Amino acid sequence: MPRSTTHSMRYDPLTDEELVRACLQGQRRAQRALYDRHVQAMYNTVIRYTYNRHDTEDILQQAFSKVFRYLHTYKSTSGTLRTWIRTICVRATLNHFQRRKLQFKPLTDAPVLHAKQTLPLEQLETDYIIKLIEQLPTHYRIIFNLYEIEGYSHKEIAKMTQMNVSSSRVYLTRAKQMLRRSITAFKSTPKDASL
Amino acid sequence: MKNLQQQFDRRPIDFDRNALWETISLPEKRRRPWWMVWFLGGTLAIFAITTALWRTTPMLGSWPINTSTQQGHTLQPIVINSVKKPPSTTTCSVKTTSYKSPSNTNVILVADDLSTTPNTVLLTTPLQQITLAKTTRLHPLISHEQASDQGSHEARQEQHHVPTLANPLRLSRQSPGQLSLPHAQVAPLTTVVPGLLRLETQMMPPMPIVHQSTQPVRQLARQRLLLGGGIGWHHHHQNFTAKSVTDRKLDYNFSAVEGFAYALQWTHQLNGSLYLFAQGQYTVLQNRWWTTDIHQILYVPPSGEAVETTVINTTYELYHQTSVWELGTGMGYRLPYRKWSVEGELALAYAIQQQQTGQFLNDNVELQSIITNPTPTRWWQPLRLWTDIGISRVLGASPWSVKVGAQLQVGANSPLNVEGQLAPVLPGQLYLKVGRQLRAKRK
């Protein structure tokens, strides 16, 4: 185990709030402890959007830099620290796609069908789901992740992706349709999903 | 889908955490020393300014002496020689002479208290009337009971030499009988000193109070201990007019006193924006004394227009230092406004005077040191009521936050007893503050 990680272990019993306070005092080991506590979840979050290790690490670098830079603005009353960090990571991911000239085209004329039908994702193993999401086109994957996994509303998604709410619903509907077809296909084929 | 998200979060990953950690920039590590340097630098600057700038050990020669004359319409030649640059020495001589010249020319030697060269006012025709229109004096609010005894004795001695001046005034209005012998008598300015020292002991005027009391809402702590220091000044403006049976008129203007203060404040947040606080502070004031006399002499010749001559003498400076401990308690109200915090406070404080030291010119125009231990003559004299309004902002994050702000304070203390008449004192202060939050408990 790396030495810095070993030294940061004494911060493990601390709550997020206590850890934040220690970080704000400029304690490097507390910052490392906070990073170790949340980097795994954030890595898994970001890679669900990018499916690229290099891009994921770039995004995480920017995101955690922002986390430590704006840590003093974190309010424990508005949510957990992990949610706050995840928000920063998601926004950093969207910024990453915007720099890549990814734009969401308005899809207002498309029919919204079966938008509220739930997918049987929880019946599948995590790696299978990861593989299924990876097969989605980038636009659909982003909207699906934002709505179904992160829990954003269509209004919030529309604001984050600079499109209208109905387009967000259409993207989600189509993503679900694709996933439903993929799930059906996966059930009939040997499962060897690995990332 | 929260369960799904948690499944994803727990999914093992395979990447170099340490390599990613090394690429993350940590601005806090750079910002903290900057704030510490800022705070320490500010504290040192305050200390340097307040101790060096106001360390006014006798600088009699360095203080500018302002003398100006205003001359009205005249039919007669008036010559006014104003030699006002004092020597940079503490040994000063005073020449106060008034005589009638053989050539029927009245010569008024206006005392130049720091210069051996007198100012001469030549009036080429006999004076028929001399009117003291206005005498303005600036002197400090602080007086000394012990010194007043000594000063009174010296003042009595002075009265033997200058019988027309039983009071600290430099000029006195002449009775009609005295006006038959046209002259004006000018007392040495040193007589002012015993006059000043006759003032009864009063507690210190309200001092600049520096305290730290606010945090943005997001950083509100129920208990806080704040340490502050600051520079301040307060300007006392008091017009005090007294008319005695002799119809002499005294006009006093009490003016600025500079100083610095260090304060420790404990704050207890009640609910919302209301808070209680207790505050102790140590304040040092160093002030100069100076006297400005405005002589307006009206001359009406037997035939002709009146001649009015004004001679303004700003004369000498003394050194005085006093310090006071003050314990107060009060209530404050904090109103957050964006990232700022506007606060108003009302408090009652009890002042504990420390030894006062100073230097003044005695009747022999020699520099004399005084050390007094003032004691209040009434139980209520040390009390002081003050209210203030301020705006502050917290920079940085708790507990490394630094509070900066400005505050305007108005206070009221026991009135001064000036020559038997109580004079109200309403000082105002405007000061900057810088502080640190030493301990904080989040709700």
Side-chain angles (χ1 to χ4, degrees), chain A residues 2 4-5 17 21 24-25 28 31-32 35-36 39-41 43-45 48 53 57 60-61 64-65 68-69 72 82 86 121 126-127 129-130 133 148-150 195, chain B residues 1-5 7-29 31-32 218-219 396-400 440 442-443:
Chain A
S4 57
T5 304
E17 194 171 345
R21 197 173 298 129
L24 291 175
Q25 292 175 6
R28 170 64 78 96
Q31 293 169 340
R32 177 60 195 257
Y35 166 82
D36 286 334
V39 68
Q40 179 181 353
Y43 188 95
N44 283 319
T45 298
R48 274 190 283 109
R53 291 176 180 273
E57 291 178 8
L60 285 178
Q61 177 196 347
F64 272 99
S65 297
F68 290 116
R69 185 177 177 186
H72 64 281
R82 174 159 295 188
R86 195 190 304 275
L121 293 177
T126 305
D127 289 342
I129 301 172
I130 294 290
I133 296 174
E148 293 289 345
I149 310 297
E150 320 302 349
L195 186 64
Chain B
M1 290 289 176
K2 281 292 176 186
N3 292 335
L4 196 59
Q5 188 182 60
Q7 287 181 29
F8 288 145
D9 288 349
R10 285 194 295 266
R11 185 168 175 267
I13 56 175
D14 181 23
F15 82 105
D16 191 352
R17 293 187 180 204
N18 293 319
L20 179 58
W21 169 252
E22 294 300 324
T23 62
I24 294 171
S25 62
L26 300 170
E28 290 298 329
K29 291 188 70 63
R31 287 170 61 185
R32 186 180 64 167
R218 62 182 170 81
Q219 295 179 359
S398 173
W400 293 96
R442 299 176 73 95
K443 280 184 178 180

Side-chain angles (χ1 to χ4, degrees), chain A residues 68-80:
Chain A
F68 290 116
R69 185 177 177 186
Y70 296 103
L71 194 57
H72 64 281
T73 65
Y74 164 67
K75 300 175 184 176
S76 59
T77 56
S78 60
T80 64

Side-chain angles (χ1 to χ4, degrees), chain B residues 105 192 204 356:
Chain B
T105 299
V192 173
M204 283 272 294
Q356 299 178 359

Side-chain angles (χ1 to χ4, degrees), chain B residues 8-259:
Chain B
F8 288 145
D9 288 349
R10 285 194 295 266
R11 185 168 175 267
I13 56 175
D14 181 23
F15 82 105
D16 191 352
R17 293 187 180 204
N18 293 319
L20 179 58
W21 169 252
E22 294 300 324
T23 62
I24 294 171
S25 62
L26 300 170
E28 290 298 329
K29 291 188 70 63
R30 295 193 302 269
R31 287 170 61 185
R32 186 180 64 167
W34 190 88
W35 290 118
M36 292 179 65
V37 168
W38 184 89
F39 175 73
L40 292 175
T43 305
L44 287 176
I46 288 171
F47 183 77
I49 290 171
T50 52
T51 55
L53 185 63
W54 285 311
R55 191 176 179 82
T56 56
T57 49
M59 296 185 299
L60 296 174
S62 62
W63 188 255
I65 303 298
N66 302 318
T67 298
S68 62
T69 61
Q70 297 174 353
Q71 180 176 332
H73 53 281
T74 176
L75 297 176
Q76 308 297 333
I78 294 180
V79 180
I80 298 175
N81 296 324
S82 298
V83 182
K84 287 300 178 182
K85 194 62 179 176
S88 57
T89 174
T90 57
T91 58
C92 305
S93 64
V94 176
K95 286 189 176 180
T96 303
T97 312
S98 178
Y99 64 94
K100 185 176 180 181
S101 68
S103 59
N104 201 27
T105 299
N106 294 298
V107 179
I108 301 175
L109 297 180
V110 180
D112 184 354
D113 302 276
L114 298 181
S115 172
T116 56
T117 306
N119 299 327
T120 305
V121 180
L122 294 177
L123 304 178
T124 56
T125 57
L127 286 171
Q128 287 190 343
Q129 183 179 2
I130 297 175
T131 304
L132 173 62
K134 185 178 182 182
T135 300
T136 302
R137 174 177 301 143
L138 300 174
H139 61 77
L141 283 168
I142 304 140
S143 58
H144 314 281
E145 194 169 46
Q146 289 81 352
S148 67
D149 298 336
Q150 181 185 5
S152 299
H153 175 68
E154 294 170 353
R156 284 192 295 274
Q157 289 181 340
E158 180 66 25
Q159 289 172 11
H160 292 296
H161 301 294
V162 189
T164 57
L165 286 174
N167 56 73
L169 280 179
R170 298 183 60 202
L171 294 180
S172 63
R173 184 174 179 176
Q174 306 298 315
S175 64
Q178 291 172 312
L179 288 177
S180 60
L181 181 63
H183 71 283
Q185 289 198 342
V186 183
L189 196 62
T190 52
T191 59
V192 173
V193 176
L196 291 176
L197 297 178
R198 274 200 295 273
L199 297 176
E200 290 184 0
T201 299
Q202 297 291 327
M203 298 312 295
M204 283 272 294
M207 316 303 297
I209 290 180
V210 181
H211 54 86
Q212 320 303 318
S213 61
T214 61
Q215 292 278 321
V217 175
R218 62 182 170 81
Q219 295 179 359
L220 277 181
R222 195 160 187 85
Q223 314 284 344
R224 283 179 298 148
L225 188 62
L226 298 166
L227 179 65
I231 59 176
W233 63 94
H234 53 222
H235 184 80
H236 297 264
H237 186 75
Q238 180 193 21
N239 286 320
F240 175 67
T241 302
K243 287 188 177 180
S244 65
V245 291
T246 59
D247 198 28
R248 62 183 175 83
K249 184 179 180 182
L250 308 176
D251 289 330
Y252 290 102
N253 282 310
F254 294 171
S255 191
V257 182
E258 302 94 357

Side-chain angles (χ1 to χ4, degrees), chain B residues 376-382:
Chain B
T377 56
R378 299 285 188 274
W379 66 269
W380 44 264
Q381 283 182 344

Side-chain angles (χ1 to χ4, degrees), chain B residues 402-423:
Chain B
V402 175
K403 179 190 285 292
V404 294
Q407 198 152 21
L408 177 64
Q409 184 181 100
V410 178
N413 64 334
S414 57
L416 286 179
N417 190 337
V418 181
E419 298 204 348
Q421 182 168 344
L422 292 179

